[in-house]
Amino acid sequence: MTRPVLEVVDLVKHFGAVRAVDGVSLAVAPGEVLGLVGESGSGKTTLGRCATRLVAVTSGHVRINGTDIAKLSRRQLRPLRRHFNMVFQDPSSSLNPRMTVADIVSEPLRLHRIGTGASRRSRVNHLLDQVGLPAGVGRRYPHELSGGQRQRVSLARALSAGPALLVADEPTSALDVSVQASVLNLIGRLQSDLGFACLFVTHDLASVEFLAQRVAVMYLGVLVEVAARRELFATPRHPYTQALLSAAPIPDPPAQRTRRRIVLTGDIPSPVDPPAGCRFHTRCPVAVDECRVVVPPLRPVGPAGALVACHLVADDGTGPRLG
Ligand code: SF4
């Protein structure tokens, strides 16, 4: 099997008493887009930040191209940072307002001492072109650009040193609806042209369906289902995945009208004191006694290698169908 670009093993991240990520393992293959979905409070953003070591890891491993970066010092990490990068939700706060666009995009090249002044300038022009911005934008400052243009600059910056892994955290959700689709299309095109692996963190299932080859569903700090995109959207097995999909709008008004929405009662519980047994049992419409005491392991089910953490899903992948 090809070595994953990103391999997270038993990752735990606690912020004091808050158990944001509580033992997650996943891998992203070269050139693959893995969508990581869940409600706000599921821990998905923290997982993305741990994967790029923007936050320290409490325990577990984060391997990038085989090197475990989980416990490296800042100094040890610095030269490795060219291999992975991150795009954030709000480009306004992630771009330095005092730098020109050209300086922002070329900063990773300077930090990693890639190329000469002339070759960096030509690389910046090429990157701006790749993200659909005219070369003249290089002389401007972030505040002179629209939100969509700023996110294009963030992408150019994130990709300038040619990373093997891009972690994108809700990259379109702070943008006007009118430009979300074009930025999403751009990420898809860049990913297929450049071939980087991508961990795409979002609450928006439509963008995951558009971009990802596989999908991992997170609930309250743990993974509850991982499956190929087609399989997950056609046959969601975990009750939480079924509820998430039933709440997502579909671009087919008649189907939308007839579809039954699975309404979960209550909010996502506090990650300070997650429920015992299956963490979803306080909201699961089909929970049984076992669910309140025994933690369901994430295990392979069905013929196509999906992973599901639910006591009621059988090894052949059959199980409760809600809605
Ligand atoms: Fe629901 Fe029990 Fe399955 Fe958890 S293990 S999802 S509570 S049925």
Side-chain angles (χ1 to χ4, degrees):
M1 188 191 149
T2 331
R3 185 175 71 184
V5 173
L6 170 68
E7 191 181 17
V8 168
V9 182
D10 293 332
L11 186 78
V12 173
K13 176 61 188 177
H14 293 174
F15 296 99
V18 177
R19 295 157 67 171
V21 178
D22 224 2
V24 166
S25 299
L26 55 78
V28 187
E32 182 186 42
V33 181
L34 176 69
L36 181 63
V37 301
E39 290 165 288
S40 110
S42 61
K44 60 187 190 309
T45 289
T46 301
L47 179 56
R49 285 169 188 240
C50 288
T52 48
R53 272 295 308 274
L54 279 188
V55 293
V57 165
T58 303
S59 66
H61 304 280
V62 177
R63 296 192 190 100
I64 301 213
N65 283 337
T67 302
D68 193 347
I69 63 164
K71 293 292 170 201
L72 296 185
S73 66
R74 276 170 171 245
R75 198 177 159 161
Q76 289 169 316
L77 260 177
R78 206 171 297 138
L80 300 175
R81 284 207 172 273
R82 65 178 289 183
H83 302 301
F84 54 95
N85 220 328
M86 192 153 180
V87 176
F88 299 92
Q89 179 171 359
D90 183 2
S92 312
S93 57
S94 59
L95 300 177
N96 186 332
R98 286 179 293 280
M99 287 169 78
T100 64
V101 166
D103 285 343
I104 289 170
V105 174
S106 64
E107 190 178 35
L109 301 173
R110 293 195 303 278
L111 287 175
H112 297 295
R113 298 198 170 88
I114 299 169
T116 60
S119 71
R120 283 175 205 149
R121 277 191 294 280
S122 107
R123 172 113 179 106
V124 167
N125 287 338
H126 178 64
L127 283 157
L128 291 177
D129 184 50
Q130 275 186 311
V131 299
L133 292 171
V137 165
R139 291 188 294 277
R140 297 167 72 180
Y141 289 86
H143 75 267
E144 300 178 89
L145 307 179
S146 69
Q149 288 175 322
R150 282 197 287 264
Q151 198 57 302
R152 287 170 190 264
V153 172
S154 302
L155 275 164
R157 183 187 191 283
L159 298 174
S160 68
L165 172 73
L166 179 73
V167 175
D169 182 16
E170 304 272 15
T172 60
S173 58
L175 304 177
D176 280 355
V177 176
S178 58
V179 295
Q180 286 182 355
S182 62
V183 171
L184 203 61
N185 274 319
L186 173 65
I187 296 173
R189 186 165 53 71
L190 290 169
Q191 196 274 330
S192 72
D193 288 354
L194 304 175
F196 51 84
C198 180
L199 180 66
F200 187 79
V201 181
T202 184
H203 69 283
D204 176 25
L205 288 160
S207 58
V208 159
E209 192 170 15
F210 175 72
L211 267 189
Q213 283 101 48
R214 280 190 311 134
V215 185
V217 182
M218 211 167 163
Y219 184 79
L220 207 52
V222 295
L223 290 180
V224 297
E225 182 158 2
V226 183
R229 175 197 57 202
R230 275 170 210 269
E231 189 182 5
L232 188 115
F233 281 89
T235 322
R237 293 189 170 97
H238 194 281
Y240 177 61
T241 313
Q242 294 181 38
L244 270 188
L245 289 187
S246 84
I250 45 176
D252 178 355
Q256 175 81 46
R257 276 194 294 277
T258 54
R259 191 171 59 163
R260 247 188 82 199
R261 183 168 172 186
I262 304 160
V263 180
L264 295 178
T265 49
D267 293 330
I268 189 165
S270 164
V272 171
D273 186 19
C278 173
R279 291 186 176 197
F280 187 55
H281 84 249
T282 54
R283 299 168 81 199
C284 180
V286 291
V288 295
D289 286 348
E290 182 187 17
C291 306
R292 293 176 241 288
V293 274
V294 183
V295 177
L298 188 69
R299 66 187 216 287
V301 302
L307 304 172
V308 179
C310 174
H311 294 307
L312 300 191
V313 176
D315 290 348
D316 66 1
T318 56
R321 300 294 297 166
L322 318 183

